[in-house]
Amino acid sequence: MHKTVLAALLLCTFTPGPSQIVRQDMINWRTYRQGALSNARGTLTNVFETQGQFESYWERVNGNIAGKLPTGGIDWGKEKLIAINLGPRANIGHEVIVRSITRVRTGEIQVLFQEQLPLRGVNYPQIQVSPWVLVKMDRTPGLITFKGETVNRLPGVIQGANSRCCGDVCRCCNNCGCCGEEH
């Protein structure tokens, strides 16, 4: 009987509590930068593991049209950058955001991104844009794949990547781009 109690105590001592359990499918990430202008001629997805790779991409794809090369805030030993460019769109109502980055299988991480279409009934200036987003993520092993979808914007709901939490209206985790949803 004494051995049974001791075994139970040891099990309780080494069993993780709810705050110690880490979901293996969740990847820590956040939006780093985004913009509406680039030189991309179509949809491009890129993963950068070094500053040199990122600088080469920026010069080639975003260049002067997107502004100065973003620097700082990236620990290349612990993080990597993801870039998504949509390519030319007819007006400023188009935006690209990352909705999630999750491990979908052993060795595969999926980046789910959305092209958000202009609001219906709004007359946007007809200025050609080429939306892009940069996302920082933990340096996690695995093949990174991309899945894109096109969605209609909802009137009155802020859905942009920089609005992860829309004021006091919602509670969002670091791995969702939700607004108005409870988690």
Side-chain angles (χ1 to χ4, degrees):
M1 176 107 168
H2 181 23
K3 290 180 183 178
T4 306
V5 171
L6 183 59
L9 284 173
L10 285 173
L11 181 61
C12 289
T13 303
F14 295 109
T15 302
S19 65
Q20 295 171 305
I21 296 174
V22 177
R23 287 186 45 189
Q24 295 301 313
D25 63 334
M26 299 297 241
I27 307 292
N28 190 28
W29 65 276
R30 71 177 183 84
T31 299
Y32 178 61
R33 300 279 193 281
Q34 69 184 109
L37 300 173
S38 77
N39 294 317
R41 297 195 173 143
T43 301
L44 300 174
T45 57
N46 291 282
V47 178
F48 309 108
E49 302 212 10
T50 68
Q51 178 75 25
Q53 291 172 339
F54 175 58
E55 287 174 2
S56 176
Y57 151 83
W58 190 265
E59 183 178 313
R60 188 181 73 255
V61 178
N62 286 4
N64 292 335
I65 194 167
K68 185 179 171 189
L69 171 74
T71 58
I74 302 170
D75 182 346
W76 291 102
K78 296 179 182 177
E79 300 171 314
K80 52 178 108 176
L81 279 180
I82 304 289
I84 302 166
N85 294 76
L86 289 182
R89 298 297 189 263
N91 63 54
I92 61 172
H94 295 265
E95 184 179 11
V96 60
I97 67 165
V98 171
R99 293 294 292 173
S100 66
I101 300 179
T102 54
R103 184 169 303 282
V104 291
R105 286 186 268 300
T106 302
E108 183 181 348
I109 298 167
Q110 184 178 74
V111 176
L112 174 62
F113 68 94
Q114 291 181 337
E115 174 180 1
Q116 295 186 338
L117 298 175
L119 279 170
R120 292 186 182 140
V122 174
N123 291 324
Y124 293 93
Q126 297 303 300
I127 300 168
Q128 188 172 20
V129 295
S130 183
W132 55 271
V133 64
L134 292 172
V135 173
K136 283 188 346 179
M137 66 172 278
D138 285 348
R139 186 174 285 274
T140 304
L143 173 68
I144 297 177
T145 60
F146 294 85
K147 180 179 178 186
E149 58 187 20
T150 303
V151 298
N152 290 314
R153 286 181 193 260
L154 301 174
V157 176
I158 301 169
Q159 294 176 297
N162 285 335
S163 59
R164 283 221 171 277
C165 278
C166 308
D168 297 327
V169 185
C170 70
R171 291 180 178 84
C172 298
C173 66
N174 194 37
N175 291 295
C176 70
C178 65
C179 254
E181 299 175 27
E182 289 192 20
H183 292 277

